[in-house]
């Protein structure tokens, strides 16, 4: 499966960005979501988390930079109200096709007219990258990991944890920190998150904001309205390993 997915991903690379204590076999892996720079790098992580994870090795997962750059350009260069206007335009176009009932899937079909739909494509790629990351972790014997992801990077982590949960060995992921996650939560997706916790010895920390217009409108439209992103609302339920 990993070999097949690797051929579908434009770019997949894990780079070491900081060296920890030689006797401490613990690695922190940072995963970006959409990009606001020309290149995918770890500057935001290194500049803001200095003094944390001091004894650990730091790695940065670089993936699908081209599509992530498209998303970043849209998010950075669009006025705050654009998300709402974007959703309204989708609804208008869908209503012309089906005036009596707005079909969310029909709304998705019009994304290419407004935004060339990199959201949907990259969400699919993120699930593949998660499988590749899980494969890399599973092959790194004797190490434990902390996973930290933003936006679609949190989606990568979700699929990595699900894949790792199929292993019978002791969990090698200590904690996962998800910032503005572009992956589904809520009651519908709760069982998937319970499965993901099986590959963690610590907790999943979900950081969300109800002011995130990108997730509120862009993500929900790109997913056909069938999923509530965890970066906009809590994961759901009262699980001892999930902290919203």
């Amino acid at each position: 499966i990993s070999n097949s997915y690797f051929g579908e991903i434009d770019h997949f690379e894990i780079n070491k960005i900081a060296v920890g204590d030689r006797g401490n076999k613990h690695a922190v892996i940072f995963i970006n979501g959409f990009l606001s720079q020309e290149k995918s790098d770890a500057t935001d992580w290194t500049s803001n988390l200095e003094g944390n994870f001091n004894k650990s090795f730091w790695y940065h997962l670089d993936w699908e930079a081209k599509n992530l750059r498209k998303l970043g350009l849209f998010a950075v260069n669009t006025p705050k109200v654009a998300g709402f206007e974007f959703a309204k335009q989708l609804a208008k176009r869908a209503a012309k096709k089906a005036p009596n009932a707005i079909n969310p899937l029909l709304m998705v079909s019009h994304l290419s007219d407004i935004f060339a739909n990199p959201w949907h494509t990259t969400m699919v790629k993120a699930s593949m990258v998660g499988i590749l990351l899980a494969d890399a972790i599973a092959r790194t014997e004797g190490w434990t990991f902390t996973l930290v992801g933003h936006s679609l990077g949190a989606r990568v982590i979700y699929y990595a944890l699900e894949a790792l949960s199929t292993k019978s060995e002791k969990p090698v992921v200590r904690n996962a920190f998800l910032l503005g996650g572009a992956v589904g939560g809520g009651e519908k997706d709760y069982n998937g998150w319970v499965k993901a916790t099986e590959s963690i010895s610590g907790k999943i920390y979900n950081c969300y904001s109800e002011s995130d217009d990108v997730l509120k409108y862009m993500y929900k439209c790109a997913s056909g309205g069938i999923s509530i992103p965890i970066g906009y609302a809590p994961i759901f339920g009262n699980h001892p390993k999930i902290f919203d």
Side-chain angles (χ1 to χ4, degrees):
I1 294 176
S2 295
N3 288 338
S4 175
Y5 283 176
F6 192 79
E8 296 292 328
I9 304 301
D10 289 342
H11 184 69
F12 179 91
E13 189 173 78
I14 301 176
N15 298 303
K16 186 187 296 180
I17 55 177
V19 177
D21 290 352
R22 292 295 179 183
N24 181 33
K25 287 191 172 184
H26 183 78
V28 183
I29 302 177
F30 300 99
I31 310 166
N32 287 343
F34 61 79
L35 304 175
S36 59
Q37 306 296 325
E38 287 293 336
K39 295 182 179 180
S40 174
D41 61 42
T43 304
D44 286 344
W45 301 112
T46 55
S47 62
N48 288 286
L49 289 176
E50 184 178 0
N52 296 278
F53 309 114
N54 287 339
K55 295 183 179 181
S56 302
F57 288 76
W58 287 25
Y59 289 86
H60 175 240
L61 172 55
D62 188 7
W63 67 287
E64 281 285 321
K66 183 178 179 181
N67 277 326
L68 294 175
R69 173 65 174 160
K70 287 182 182 179
L71 294 177
L73 285 172
F74 185 83
V76 171
N77 297 326
T78 305
K80 185 176 181 180
V81 296
F84 180 63
E85 293 301 322
F86 176 79
K88 285 203 302 184
Q89 290 301 318
L90 287 178
K92 286 180 181 179
R93 290 179 181 232
K96 289 180 181 179
K97 294 285 185 179
N100 295 324
I102 296 178
N103 185 336
L105 294 179
L106 189 58
M107 293 173 68
V108 174
S109 71
H110 293 294
L111 279 169
S112 58
D113 297 331
I114 303 173
F115 179 36
N117 198 11
W119 260 114
H120 181 72
T121 300
T122 314
M123 284 199 298
V124 173
K125 293 290 186 71
S127 64
M128 297 181 179
V129 172
I131 301 297
L132 293 177
L133 175 59
D135 189 48
I137 288 174
R139 293 171 184 268
T140 310
E141 296 183 2
W143 283 70
T144 57
F145 300 86
T146 292
L147 304 180
V148 187
H150 165 248
S151 184
L152 284 160
R155 188 179 186 87
V156 170
I157 292 174
Y158 170 78
Y159 283 98
L161 294 177
E162 268 208 329
L164 288 169
S165 70
T166 62
K167 295 178 63 65
S168 59
E169 290 87 347
K170 182 179 178 181
V172 295
V173 178
R174 288 184 187 172
N175 298 300
F177 298 88
L178 312 178
L179 314 177
V183 59
E187 184 176 5
K188 175 180 173 294
D189 295 295
Y190 183 66
N191 289 337
W193 283 103
V194 171
K195 188 70 177 174
T197 62
E198 295 176 7
S199 60
I200 284 197
S201 60
K203 290 188 177 182
I204 295 174
Y205 296 92
N206 177 44
C207 305
Y208 69 94
S209 168
E210 295 177 351
S211 300
D212 192 328
D213 287 343
V214 173
L215 289 176
K216 183 177 181 179
Y217 298 108
M218 305 297 108
Y219 174 89
K220 291 180 70 175
C221 289
S223 64
I226 62 175
S227 180
I228 301 172
I230 64 166
Y232 180 73
I235 289 176
F236 183 77
N238 187 26
H239 194 282
K241 287 188 176 182
I242 299 176
F243 183 78
D244 287 298

